Amino acid sequence: MAIQCFVCGFAHLDPLPSADALERFYSSEFWETDKPGEVARALDQADWLSATYADWLTVLEGRAPGGTLLDVGCGYGWFLQAAALREWHVAGLDPSRAACDYVVSTMSVPIKNGSWENSMPGVFDAIAAHWMIEHVPDPAAFLRWCRASLYSGGALLLVCPNEWTQAQRHANNYAAVYNYFIDPTHVNYFGQSSLSNLLGRCGFRVTDWLATEPMENFLINRRDYTVDPAIGRECHREIEMRDLSWTRAERLAHYRELGGFGQGRDLVCVAVPE
């Protein structure tokens, strides 16, 4: 069960899963059983992912201009590869052996199999954590670890789902699957305010907000992807084609506007140590 915790300042599961259970799940089950086919999906989206990651790196480089970058929970390494192409000195960290093996076999980037709790990889100019903080039982501890692992002039690029939004509540009226946005693997649920407050308590200041496209609009327009993944892929492909037809400046302007209002399916922020 998820609760809105006024002590933590964000929603999370109650009770929290055990650390041992989570370690087993993410080391050998998450990509293999919960997210099968992820490599094929990413390859199908390769052009769009490349453009999106380059956009995010452009924003990050405005605060941490090059140097060293650690991608925590890097998965199959797509963002690592994008950063390396922009001449960042990259390192990846992921608990999944299968994901790490894929990176080693397909990319010339360094990666370590392990979790942030038991790794001390050093100090970096930038840290990226995409769709990870919602999986961490103690996100405050993780953010404090990030702060301790950043140089004073460094920056954190954080991406996580934007949950319990007004748009999602409205889209529930049209979706066959109620609360379709709830993911059984998520421990925490954030909105812009709760994420910003948590970052502030952990010694960060947000310098930029972006977002990803709000998929809720498709549901409201009677394209119910909650009952058919093929509909969802078709909808997202339309977003991809539109994004690729825009310039980087146009994409950043659009997603900054969404992020500024706390809208969008995902929150994308750059934060710096205070």
Side-chain angles (χ1 to χ4, degrees), residues 235-254:
C235 294
H236 204 275
R237 191 180 296 279
E238 292 175 15
I239 294 170
E240 294 165 21
M241 297 305 293
R242 183 209 62 192
D243 283 359
L244 290 171
S245 74
W246 286 350
T247 65
R248 175 163 299 149
E250 289 170 330
R251 289 193 299 269
L252 287 176
H254 174 69

Side-chain angles (χ1 to χ4, degrees), residues 163-208:
E163 307 288 30
W164 307 105
T165 64
Q166 183 177 354
Q168 286 172 334
R169 291 193 293 271
H170 181 47
N172 261 334
N173 297 316
Y174 305 93
V177 179
Y178 190 74
N179 283 349
Y180 57 93
F181 49 88
I182 298 298
D183 189 309
T185 70
H186 292 181
V187 177
N188 311 302
Y189 298 91
F190 294 100
Q192 188 180 58
S193 295
S194 59
L195 183 60
S196 180
N197 288 339
L198 179 63
L199 283 162
R201 294 200 306 273
C202 295
F204 284 97
R205 174 175 56 87
V206 177
T207 61
D208 215 333

Side-chain angles (χ1 to χ4, degrees), residues 25 27 65 84 105 131 146 152 213 256:
F25 177 70
S27 65
S105 66
W131 296 288
C146 289
S152 59
E213 192 69 22
R256 268 201 179 100

Side-chain angles (χ1 to χ4, degrees), residues 6-139:
F6 295 101
V7 175
C8 298
F10 54 89
H12 61 75
L13 294 184
D14 183 34
L16 292 170
S18 72
D20 287 344
L22 288 174
E23 182 179 0
R24 287 193 301 271
F25 177 70
Y26 289 112
S27 65
S28 61
E29 298 178 34
F30 179 69
W31 292 116
E32 294 87 341
T33 61
D34 193 73
K35 305 288 183 184
E38 185 63 25
V39 170
R41 281 193 292 271
L43 292 173
D44 184 49
Q45 296 177 295
D47 291 343
W48 177 78
L49 283 174
S50 178
T52 299
Y53 290 158
D55 292 347
W56 295 353
L57 284 161
T58 297
V59 176
L60 179 64
E61 288 159 3
R63 290 291 172 177
T68 54
L69 182 148
L70 174 67
D71 190 0
V72 187
C74 64
Y76 290 106
W78 312 115
F79 185 79
L80 274 178
Q81 189 176 51
L85 288 172
R86 294 174 69 93
E87 299 186 349
W88 284 87
H89 301 286
V90 302
L93 181 64
D94 199 275
S96 168
R97 169 55 64 185
C100 291
D101 287 347
Y102 179 85
V103 173
V104 169
S105 66
T106 61
M107 303 176 191
S108 298
V109 295
I111 187 169
K112 179 178 180 180
N113 179 222
S115 65
W116 64 273
E117 294 100 328
N118 54 30
S119 297
M120 294 297 293
V123 183
F124 297 85
D125 296 297
I127 293 176
H130 302 158
W131 296 288
M132 183 192 166
I133 195 170
E134 64 272 17
H135 299 276
V136 177
D138 189 347

